[in-house]
Coordinates of all heavy atoms in Angstrom, one line a residue:
Chain C
F84 N 92.2 96.3 120.7 CA 93.2 96.9 120.0 C 94.3 97.5 121.1 O 94.0 98.2 121.9 CB 92.8 98.1 119.3 CG 91.9 97.7 118.0 CD1 90.5 97.6 118.2 CD2 92.5 97.3 116.9 CE1 89.8 97.2 117.1 CE2 91.7 96.8 115.8 CZ 90.4 96.9 115.9
L85 N 95.5 96.9 121.0 CA 96.5 97.1 122.0 C 97.7 97.7 121.2 O 98.5 97.0 120.5 CB 97.0 95.9 122.7 CG 95.8 95.1 123.4 CD1 96.0 93.6 123.5 CD2 95.5 95.8 124.6
P86 N 97.9 99.0 121.3 CA 99.0 99.7 120.5 C 100.3 99.0 120.9 O 100.6 98.9 122.1 CB 98.9 101.1 120.8 CG 98.3 101.2 122.1 CD 97.3 100.0 122.2
M87 N 101.2 99.0 119.9 CA 102.6 98.5 120.1 C 103.6 99.7 119.9 O 104.7 99.5 119.8 CB 102.9 97.3 119.2 CG 102.2 96.1 119.5 SD 102.5 94.7 118.3 CE 103.9 94.1 119.2
T88 N 103.0 100.9 120.1 CA 103.8 102.1 120.2 C 103.3 102.9 121.3 O 102.1 102.6 121.8 CB 103.6 103.0 118.9 OG1 102.2 103.3 118.8 CG2 104.0 102.1 117.7
Q89 N 104.0 103.9 121.8 CA 103.5 104.9 122.7 C 103.0 106.1 122.1 O 103.3 107.2 122.3 CB 104.8 105.3 123.7 CG 105.1 104.1 124.7 CD 104.1 104.1 125.8 OE1 103.9 105.1 126.5 NE2 103.4 103.0 125.9
A90 N 101.9 105.8 121.3 CA 101.3 107.0 120.5 C 99.8 106.9 120.7 O 99.2 105.9 120.9 CB 101.7 106.8 119.0
A91 N 99.2 108.1 120.5 CA 97.7 108.2 120.6 C 97.1 107.6 119.2 O 97.7 107.6 118.3 CB 97.3 109.7 120.8
F92 N 95.9 107.1 119.5 CA 95.1 106.8 118.2 C 93.6 107.2 118.3 O 93.3 107.6 119.5 CB 95.3 105.3 117.7 CG 94.8 104.2 118.8 CD1 93.5 103.6 118.6 CD2 95.5 103.9 119.9 CE1 93.1 102.6 119.4 CE2 95.1 103.0 120.8 CZ 93.8 102.3 120.6
L93 N 93.0 107.2 117.3 CA 91.5 107.6 117.2 C 90.7 106.4 117.3 O 90.8 105.5 116.6 CB 91.4 108.4 115.9 CG 90.1 109.0 115.6 CD1 89.7 110.1 116.5 CD2 90.1 109.6 114.1
V94 N 89.7 106.7 118.2 CA 88.6 105.4 118.4 C 87.3 106.1 118.1 O 86.8 106.9 118.8 CB 88.8 104.9 119.8 CG1 87.7 103.9 120.0 CG2 90.1 104.4 120.1
I95 N 86.6 105.6 117.1 CA 85.3 106.0 116.8 C 84.3 105.0 117.0 O 84.5 103.8 116.6 CB 85.2 106.4 115.3 CG1 86.2 107.7 115.0 CG2 83.8 106.9 114.9 CD1 86.4 108.0 113.5
V96 N 83.3 105.3 117.7 CA 82.1 104.3 118.1 C 80.8 105.0 117.9 O 80.7 106.2 118.0 CB 82.3 103.8 119.5 CG1 83.4 102.8 119.6 CG2 82.5 104.8 120.5
C97 N 79.8 104.2 117.8 CA 78.4 104.7 117.7 C 77.5 103.9 118.5 O 77.6 102.6 118.6 CB 77.9 104.6 116.2 SG 78.9 105.3 115.0
P98 N 76.6 104.4 119.2 CA 75.5 103.7 119.9 C 74.7 103.1 118.7 O 74.7 103.6 117.6 CB 74.7 104.7 120.6 CG 74.9 106.0 119.9 CD 76.3 105.9 119.3
D99 N 73.9 102.1 119.0 CA 73.0 101.4 118.1 C 71.6 102.1 118.1 O 71.2 102.5 119.2 CB 72.8 99.9 118.3 CG 71.9 99.2 117.3 OD1 72.6 99.0 116.1 OD2 70.8 98.9 117.5
D100 N 71.1 102.4 116.9 CA 69.8 103.0 116.8 C 68.9 102.1 116.0 O 68.9 102.3 114.7 CB 70.0 104.5 116.2 CG 68.7 105.2 116.2 OD1 67.6 104.7 116.7 OD2 68.8 106.3 115.6
N101 N 68.3 101.2 116.5 CA 67.4 100.3 115.8 C 68.0 99.6 114.6 O 67.6 99.5 113.5 CB 66.2 101.1 115.3 CG 65.3 101.5 116.3 OD1 64.8 100.7 117.2 ND2 64.9 102.8 116.3
G102 N 69.3 99.1 115.0 CA 70.0 98.3 114.0 C 70.9 99.0 113.1 O 71.5 98.4 112.2
K103 N 70.9 100.4 113.2 CA 71.8 101.2 112.5 C 72.6 102.0 113.4 O 72.2 102.3 114.6 CB 71.0 102.1 111.5 CG 70.3 101.4 110.4 CD 69.6 102.3 109.5 CE 68.9 101.6 108.4 NZ 68.1 102.5 107.5
P104 N 73.8 102.5 112.9 CA 74.7 103.4 113.9 C 74.0 104.6 114.1 O 73.5 105.3 113.3 CB 76.0 103.5 113.2 CG 75.6 103.2 111.6 CD 74.5 102.2 111.7
G105 N 74.0 105.1 115.5 CA 73.5 106.4 115.9 C 74.7 107.4 115.7 O 75.6 107.2 115.0
H106 N 74.5 108.5 116.3 CA 75.4 109.6 116.2 C 76.9 109.1 116.8 O 77.0 108.7 117.8 CB 75.0 110.8 117.0 CG 75.7 112.1 116.7 ND1 75.6 112.8 115.5 CD2 76.6 112.7 117.4 CE1 76.5 113.8 115.5 NE2 77.1 113.8 116.6
P107 N 77.9 109.3 115.9 CA 79.2 108.8 116.3 C 79.9 109.7 117.4 O 79.5 110.8 117.6 CB 80.0 109.0 115.0 CG 79.1 109.1 113.9 CD 77.9 109.8 114.5
R108 N 80.7 109.0 118.3 CA 81.6 109.7 119.2 C 83.0 109.3 118.8 O 83.3 108.2 118.3 CB 81.3 109.3 120.5 CG 79.9 109.8 120.9 CD 79.5 109.4 122.3 NE 80.4 110.0 123.4 CZ 80.2 109.9 124.7 NH1 79.2 108.9 125.0 NH2 80.9 110.4 125.5
A109 N 83.9 110.3 119.0 CA 85.3 110.1 118.6 C 86.2 110.3 119.8 O 86.2 111.4 120.4 CB 85.7 111.0 117.4
F110 N 87.0 109.3 120.2 CA 87.9 109.4 121.4 C 89.4 109.4 120.8 O 89.7 108.7 119.9 CB 87.7 108.2 122.3 CG 86.3 108.2 122.9 CD1 85.3 107.5 122.3 CD2 86.0 108.9 124.1 CE1 84.0 107.4 122.8 CE2 84.8 108.9 124.6 CZ 83.7 108.1 124.0
I111 N 90.2 110.2 121.6 CA 91.7 110.2 121.3 C 92.2 109.5 122.6 O 92.0 109.9 123.7 CB 92.2 111.5 121.2 CG1 91.5 112.3 120.0 CG2 93.7 111.5 121.0 CD1 92.3 112.4 118.7
T112 N 93.0 108.5 122.4 CA 93.7 107.9 123.4 C 94.9 108.6 124.0 O 95.5 109.4 123.3 CB 94.3 106.4 123.0 OG1 95.3 106.6 122.1 CG2 93.1 105.6 122.4
E113 N 95.2 108.3 125.2 CA 96.5 108.6 125.7 C 97.5 107.5 125.4 O 97.2 106.4 125.3 CB 96.6 108.8 127.3 CG 95.7 109.9 127.9 CD 96.5 111.2 127.6 OE1 97.7 111.3 127.7 OE2 95.8 112.3 127.3
P114 N 98.8 107.9 125.2 CA 99.8 106.8 125.0 C 99.8 105.8 126.2 O 99.6 106.2 127.3 CB 101.2 107.6 125.1 CG 100.8 109.0 124.6 CD 99.4 109.3 125.1
G115 N 99.8 104.5 125.8 CA 99.7 103.5 126.8 C 98.3 103.0 127.0 O 98.1 101.9 127.7
Q116 N 97.3 103.6 126.4 CA 95.9 103.0 126.5 C 95.6 102.1 125.3 O 95.9 102.5 124.2 CB 95.0 104.2 126.5 CG 94.7 105.0 127.8 CD 93.7 106.1 127.6 OE1 93.6 106.7 126.6 NE2 93.1 106.3 128.8
G117 N 94.9 101.1 125.6 CA 94.3 100.3 124.6 C 92.8 100.2 124.8 O 92.3 100.7 125.8
I118 N 92.0 99.5 124.0 CA 90.6 99.3 124.1 C 90.2 97.9 123.7 O 90.9 97.3 123.0 CB 89.8 100.3 123.2 CG1 90.2 100.1 121.7 CG2 90.1 101.8 123.5 CD1 89.1 100.5 120.8
N119 N 89.1 97.5 124.3 CA 88.4 96.3 123.9 C 87.0 96.7 123.5 O 86.2 97.1 124.4 CB 88.4 95.4 125.1 CG 87.7 94.1 124.7 OD1 88.0 93.4 123.6 ND2 86.7 93.6 125.5
L120 N 86.6 96.6 122.2 CA 85.3 96.9 121.8 C 84.4 95.7 122.1 O 84.8 94.6 121.8 CB 85.2 97.2 120.3 CG 85.9 98.4 119.8 CD1 86.1 98.2 118.2 CD2 85.2 99.6 120.0
H121 N 83.3 96.0 122.8 CA 82.3 95.0 123.1 C 81.8 94.3 121.8 O 81.7 95.1 120.8 CB 81.3 95.4 124.1 CG 81.9 95.6 125.5 ND1 81.3 96.3 126.4 CD2 83.1 95.2 126.1 CE1 82.0 96.3 127.6 NE2 83.1 95.7 127.4
R122 N 81.3 93.2 122.0 CA 80.6 92.4 120.8 C 79.5 93.3 120.2 O 78.7 93.8 121.0 CB 80.1 91.1 121.3 CG 79.5 90.2 120.2 CD 79.5 88.8 120.6 NE 78.7 88.5 121.7 CZ 77.5 88.1 121.7 NH1 76.7 88.1 120.5 NH2 76.7 87.8 122.8
N123 N 79.5 93.4 118.9 CA 78.4 94.1 118.2 C 78.3 95.7 118.4 O 77.2 96.2 118.1 CB 77.0 93.5 118.5 CG 76.2 93.4 117.3 OD1 76.6 93.3 116.1 ND2 74.8 93.3 117.5
I124 N 79.3 96.2 118.8 CA 79.5 97.7 118.8 C 79.9 98.3 117.5 O 80.9 97.9 117.0 CB 80.4 98.1 120.0 CG1 79.8 97.7 121.4 CG2 80.7 99.7 120.0 CD1 78.6 98.4 121.8
W125 N 79.0 99.2 117.0 CA 79.4 100.0 115.8 C 80.8 100.7 116.0 O 80.9 101.5 117.0 CB 78.4 101.0 115.4 CG 77.1 100.3 115.0 CD1 75.9 100.3 115.6 CD2 76.9 99.7 113.7 NE1 74.9 99.7 114.9 CE2 75.4 99.3 113.7 CE3 77.7 99.4 112.6 CZ2 74.9 98.6 112.6 CZ3 77.1 98.6 111.5 CH2 75.7 98.3 111.5
H126 N 81.7 100.6 115.2 CA 83.0 101.4 115.3 C 83.7 101.6 113.9 O 83.4 100.9 112.9 CB 84.0 100.5 116.1 CG 84.3 99.3 115.5 ND1 83.5 98.1 115.7 CD2 85.4 98.8 114.8 CE1 84.1 97.1 115.1 NE2 85.2 97.5 114.5
G127 N 84.4 102.7 113.9 CA 85.2 103.0 112.7 C 86.4 102.0 112.7 O 86.8 101.4 113.6
V128 N 87.0 101.9 111.5 CA 88.2 101.1 111.3 C 89.3 101.7 112.0 O 89.3 102.8 112.5 CB 88.5 100.9 109.8 CG1 87.4 100.3 109.0 CG2 89.0 102.2 109.1
L129 N 90.3 100.8 112.2 CA 91.5 101.2 113.0 C 92.2 102.5 112.4 O 92.5 102.5 111.2 CB 92.6 100.1 113.0 CG 93.8 100.2 113.8 CD1 93.6 100.5 115.4 CD2 94.7 99.1 113.7
T130 N 92.3 103.5 113.3 CA 92.8 104.8 112.8 C 94.0 105.2 113.7 O 93.8 106.2 114.5 CB 91.8 105.9 112.8 OG1 90.9 105.7 113.9 CG2 90.9 105.7 111.5
P131 N 95.2 104.8 113.4 CA 96.3 105.4 114.1 C 96.6 106.8 113.6 O 96.2 107.1 112.5 CB 97.5 104.4 113.6 CG 97.0 103.7 112.4 CD 95.6 103.7 112.5
L132 N 97.2 107.6 114.5 CA 97.5 109.0 114.0 C 99.0 109.1 113.8 O 99.5 110.3 113.6 CB 97.0 109.9 115.1 CG 95.4 109.8 115.3 CD1 95.1 110.7 116.4 CD2 94.8 110.4 114.0
S133 N 99.8 108.1 113.9 CA 101.3 108.2 113.6 C 101.8 106.8 113.2 O 101.1 105.8 113.3 CB 102.0 108.7 114.8 OG 101.8 108.0 115.9
D134 N 103.0 106.8 112.5 CA 103.6 105.6 112.1 C 104.5 105.1 113.1 O 105.1 105.9 113.8 CB 104.4 106.0 110.8 CG 103.5 106.1 109.5 OD1 102.6 105.2 109.4 OD2 103.7 107.0 108.8
P135 N 104.8 103.8 113.2 CA 104.0 102.8 112.6 C 102.7 102.5 113.3 O 102.6 102.5 114.5 CB 105.0 101.6 112.7 CG 105.7 101.8 114.1 CD 105.9 103.3 114.1
G136 N 101.7 102.2 112.4 CA 100.3 102.0 113.0 C 100.2 100.5 113.4 O 99.4 99.8 112.8
L137 N 101.0 100.0 114.3 CA 101.1 98.6 114.7 C 100.3 98.3 116.0 O 100.6 98.9 117.0 CB 102.6 98.2 114.7 CG 102.9 96.8 115.1 CD1 102.4 95.8 114.0 CD2 104.4 96.5 115.3
F138 N 99.4 97.3 115.9 CA 98.6 97.0 117.0 C 98.5 95.4 117.1 O 98.4 94.8 116.2 CB 97.2 97.5 116.9 CG 97.0 99.0 116.9 CD1 97.5 99.8 115.8 CD2 96.5 99.7 118.0 CE1 97.4 101.1 115.8 CE2 96.4 101.0 118.0 CZ 96.9 101.8 116.9
S139 N 98.5 95.0 118.5 CA 98.1 93.6 118.8 C 96.6 93.7 118.9 O 96.0 94.6 119.4 CB 98.7 93.2 120.1 OG 100.0 93.4 120.2
V140 N 96.0 92.7 118.2 CA 94.5 92.6 118.2 C 94.2 91.3 118.8 O 94.6 90.2 118.4 CB 94.0 92.8 116.8 CG1 92.5 92.5 116.8 CG2 94.5 94.2 116.2
V141 N 93.3 91.3 119.9 CA 92.7 90.0 120.4 C 91.2 90.0 120.0 O 90.4 90.8 120.5 CB 92.9 90.0 122.0 CG1 92.3 88.7 122.5 CG2 94.4 90.1 122.3

Side-chain angles (χ1 to χ4, degrees):
Chain C
F84 292 95
L85 303 158
M87 297 181 80
T88 63
Q89 284 284 300
F92 64 104
L93 179 65
V94 177
I95 296 171
V96 288
C97 306
D99 186 70
D100 182 5
N101 290 309
K103 293 183 178 177
H106 192 71
R108 292 176 69 180
F110 296 93
I111 301 261
T112 66
E113 289 287 327
Q116 285 182 322
I118 60 155
N119 180 53
L120 294 166
H121 289 166
R122 182 159 64 90
N123 217 28
I124 292 292
W125 292 108
H126 62 278
V128 300
L129 182 61
T130 39
L132 297 172
S133 54
D134 285 317
L137 181 62
F138 292 74
S139 306
V140 176
V141 178

